[in-house]
């Protein structure tokens, strides 16, 4: 099992989860984070830290595309290990439907 970041992170990018991760398995895109599935130790400390409820265990149904997206972009984006401010408008984008299709960016973030 691993944890995955899902669509509600897009355009929010809260980094509370990064701060508590004991193995630094988060990677930063321009407008979301992902978890490297081979680095995640399944400790679960990140899940309750996410204000947008965007982190889920991969054992939940329907998360296959998110597991693939996390795995694909974790090797392309820079590692992030310190908390940063959320994106402008994060509260307004929390819970918006269809964020993957409308707003996802493949561009990397800045990392640490």
């Amino acid at each position: 099992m691993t944890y995955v970041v899902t669509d509600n992170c897009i355009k929010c990018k809260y980094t509370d989860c990064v701060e508590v991760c004991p193995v630094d398995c988060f990677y930063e895109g321009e407008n979301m984070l992902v978890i490297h599935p081979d680095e995640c130790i399944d400790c679960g400390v990140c899940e309750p830290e996410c204000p947008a409820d965007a982190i889920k265990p991969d054992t939940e149904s329907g998360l296959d595309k998110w597991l693939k997206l996390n795995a694909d972009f974790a090797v392309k984006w820079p590692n992030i290990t310190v908390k940063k401010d959320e994106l402008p408008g994060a509260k307004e984008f929390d819970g918006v439907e269809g964020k993957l299709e409308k707003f996802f960016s493949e561009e990397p973030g800045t990392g640490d």
Side-chain angles (χ1 to χ4, degrees), residues 1 3 20-23 40-46:
M1 186 179 93
Y3 284 81
V20 299
C21 181
V23 294
C40 178
I41 60 170
D42 313 325
C43 67
V45 297
C46 59

Side-chain angles (χ1 to χ4, degrees), residues 8 17 23 27 41 55 85 95 99 106-107:
N8 208 39
C17 53
V23 294
Y27 292 81
I41 60 170
I55 300 173
D85 291 337
K99 291 204 285 186
E106 293 186 9
E107 294 300 313

Side-chain angles (χ1 to χ4, degrees), residues 9 12-21 26 28 32-33 49-51 55 80-87:
C9 184
C12 292
K13 199 167 78 170
Y14 291 102
T15 56
D16 304 63
C17 53
V18 169
E19 196 170 49
V20 299
C21 181
F26 281 88
E28 183 185 14
M32 78 172 292
L33 304 174
E49 295 299 318
C50 181
I55 300 173
I80 179 172
T81 62
V82 295
K83 184 177 176 172
K84 299 180 180 180
D85 291 337
E86 69 271 6
L87 292 177

Side-chain angles (χ1 to χ4, degrees), residues 17-82:
C17 53
V18 169
E19 196 170 49
V20 299
C21 181
V23 294
D24 300 333
C25 65
F26 281 88
Y27 292 81
E28 183 185 14
E30 180 179 35
N31 66 5
M32 78 172 292
L33 304 174
V34 294
I35 295 172
H36 194 303
D38 294 335
E39 295 174 1
C40 178
I41 60 170
D42 313 325
C43 67
V45 297
C46 59
E47 186 181 20
E49 295 299 318
C50 181
D53 194 31
I55 300 173
K56 305 289 182 189
D58 72 346
T59 53
E60 286 190 17
S61 63
L63 294 179
D64 290 344
K65 74 176 179 181
W66 291 106
L67 181 58
K68 180 170 178 10
L69 185 139
N70 277 244
D72 290 349
F73 286 96
V75 296
K76 298 176 183 176
W77 291 347
N79 189 238
I80 179 172
T81 62
V82 295

